[in-house]
Amino acid sequence: MPLYNRIEGRLLREQLRAAPFLNRITLSFYKYHHLADPVQFRNELYRKFLELGVLGRVYVAHEGINAQVSVPDNHLERFRETLYAYPFLNGIRLNRAIEDNGKSFFKLTIKVRRKIVADGLDDNSFNPADTGIKVNAAEFNRLADDPNTVILDMRNHYESEVGRFKNAICPDVDTFREELQVAENILSQHKNKNLLMYCTGGIRCEKASAWLKYKGFKNVFQLDGGIIEYARQVKEQGLENKFIGKNFVFDERLGERITPDIISHCHQCGAPCDDHTNCKNDGCHLLFIQCPECAEKYKGCCSEKCMEVIALPPEQQKAIRKGLNPGRKVFKKGRAAHLIPTRQITTS
């Protein structure tokens, strides 16, 4: 059995989009746990997931696992049993997507990395296991109402731009590594306050809360299960929803709506919009917000220049891309000069 996908990604994506609705469930989970042989674990997992028809993106490292996957609903119990067969994953919570069209992922990718989240930290310099106090949705709301609480968004600017908790500090950063670098400075005057952190599913807060405790912050709390679990709990328990807008996700959906509020704008015309897309020019692939009118006007591209490129024959497009830094062909998280500048988000 091959341990890697050999089919071109573009073809797989087109097949997924053209397929009728599939009864699939999008799930995410993570676990910090020392793995002696992450390569062996990765290969075992790939075989088992492939047999179950699982698609998604999984990172494995000596420090554990970080996964976002799409599972056929008729294999959900077998998938859960597969995970629970590993003692360190037994009983692990599976965060279920809030909005799901069954087409969140188009292939299975499991990679061995140095870390399951790129944080730039030296884990030997502090205790990563000494994390903040985990709180549920009701406890989060109670702390959020306390005037002695500071709420910190541990995500990137393009995530908080389309959705965030009310009154949260949202650093204008492109990566989690940058976030950790600036968080201490932003919060330096609040070391004796309640520091209430949140992210998409909880994994970034695990490491960040331990780091900030090491840096002298006394009362550190983190939203257990992140925005995904919070949204589920407030709906089930009839709690006040303090999150507004969309929850950005790192799959084909690029977002799931939490509330009807649209708090961001099209990067091309400035109209209210919170729909992320990637530029259709594979030599650019910039991640940006584009309204339906601009999507039609620019044919899904971020600029007239990129629109001109995609009008060329495929072979000519490939020739233009030849020699470009491969990093330019993946998710572009930064801003671009030809788009409306992203406003720096501090509080709402």
Side-chain angles (χ1 to χ4, degrees):
M1 178 187 294
L3 297 178
Y4 297 90
N5 172 69
R6 300 298 184 188
I7 304 175
E8 183 182 358
R10 178 185 289 274
L11 178 60
L12 289 171
R13 185 179 282 107
E14 290 175 353
Q15 290 175 349
L16 178 71
R17 290 174 177 170
F21 176 78
L22 299 175
N23 292 319
R24 285 183 165 272
I25 300 170
T26 301
L27 305 168
S28 61
F29 64 93
Y30 70 90
K31 182 69 174 182
Y32 279 101
H33 174 83
H34 178 70
L35 295 173
D37 191 341
V39 174
Q40 179 182 349
F41 177 69
R42 178 262 172 212
N43 291 343
E44 284 181 12
L45 216 57
Y46 192 92
R47 293 188 185 95
K48 293 175 180 179
F49 281 9
L50 199 63
E51 289 176 357
L52 294 174
V54 175
L55 305 175
R57 183 188 305 111
V58 183
Y59 297 139
V60 174
H62 281 293
E63 68 174 3
I65 181 172
N66 180 18
Q68 297 85 41
V69 295
S70 171
V71 182
D73 63 352
N74 60 320
H75 288 166
L76 180 59
E77 286 307 312
R78 288 179 59 197
F79 174 78
R80 185 180 283 111
E81 290 170 1
T82 297
L83 291 183
Y84 288 4
Y86 293 97
F88 80 98
L89 293 176
N90 188 20
I92 191 171
R93 180 180 57 227
L94 303 176
N95 276 338
R96 188 164 181 167
I98 300 162
E99 285 188 328
D100 199 355
N101 60 5
K103 300 180 180 181
S104 53
F105 292 98
F106 59 91
K107 66 178 180 179
L108 175 62
T109 302
I110 305 182
K111 294 183 177 181
V112 176
R113 291 193 162 184
R114 192 175 72 86
K115 289 194 171 187
I116 55 177
V117 177
D119 53 38
L121 297 176
D122 177 8
D123 289 358
N124 294 319
S125 66
F126 69 109
N127 181 8
D130 184 23
T131 60
I133 299 172
K134 293 182 179 179
V135 297
N136 59 27
E139 293 165 336
F140 183 96
N141 283 358
R142 179 182 59 79
L143 282 166
D145 289 336
D146 187 335
N148 195 45
T149 294
V150 174
I151 306 173
L152 178 64
D153 191 318
M154 291 307 304
R155 303 172 303 152
N156 307 319
H157 78 86
Y158 54 93
E159 298 175 81
S160 60
E161 184 177 6
V162 296
R164 57 190 183 270
F165 278 101
K166 299 172 184 177
N167 301 317
I169 296 174
C170 303
D172 188 26
V173 296
D174 286 355
T175 66
F176 181 50
R177 182 192 299 258
E178 289 179 72
E179 171 99 15
L180 290 170
Q181 292 173 352
V182 303
E184 184 182 358
N185 292 333
I186 293 176
L187 300 169
S188 60
Q189 60 183 326
H190 302 300
K191 283 198 170 183
N192 293 319
K193 291 187 176 182
N194 298 321
L195 174 54
L196 183 57
M197 311 167 66
Y198 70 90
C199 58
T200 306
I203 188 170
R204 283 176 276 190
C205 290
E206 291 280 333
K207 192 65 70 71
S209 64
W211 173 252
L212 290 173
K213 286 183 68 176
Y214 167 70
K215 285 295 184 176
F217 291 87
K218 306 298 182 184
N219 306 308
V220 181
F221 301 86
Q222 61 191 86
L223 180 57
D224 191 18
I227 298 165
I228 298 173
E229 178 65 11
Y230 176 89
R232 184 188 69 80
Q233 290 182 15
V234 296
K235 182 177 181 180
E236 289 183 354
Q237 300 173 27
L239 303 173
E240 177 189 359
N241 188 352
K242 292 182 178 294
F243 188 92
I244 54 174
K246 257 186 180 179
N247 178 36
F248 183 94
V249 291
F250 293 89
D251 59 51
E252 294 294 302
R253 297 170 298 151
L254 291 178
E256 47 189 15
R257 184 158 300 286
I258 307 296
T259 72
D261 308 274
I262 297 178
I263 64 173
S264 53
H265 300 81
C266 174
H267 288 161
Q268 289 175 308
C269 71
C273 180
D274 56 9
D275 295 329
H276 274 100
T277 189
N278 285 112
C279 178
K280 294 300 183 288
N281 174 14
D282 285 340
C284 173
H285 218 220
L286 181 78
L287 177 68
F288 69 109
I289 296 174
Q290 185 178 54
C291 70
E293 289 75 17
C294 286
E296 181 177 359
K297 177 180 178 180
Y298 293 98
K299 302 187 185 303
C301 292
C302 69
S303 66
E304 292 182 356
K305 182 177 180 180
C306 284
M307 188 167 61
E308 293 171 0
V309 171
I310 68 167
L312 299 172
E315 291 304 315
Q316 195 168 343
Q317 292 185 46
K318 289 182 180 179
I320 292 174
R321 295 197 300 269
K322 187 176 181 179
L324 291 178
N325 184 336
R328 296 187 62 196
K329 296 172 69 176
V330 300
F331 255 18
K332 290 300 290 182
K333 304 176 179 66
R335 281 127 301 199
H338 59 275
L339 298 177
I340 295 175
T342 303
R343 297 179 180 87
Q344 181 172 349
I345 301 171
T346 53
T347 61
S348 61

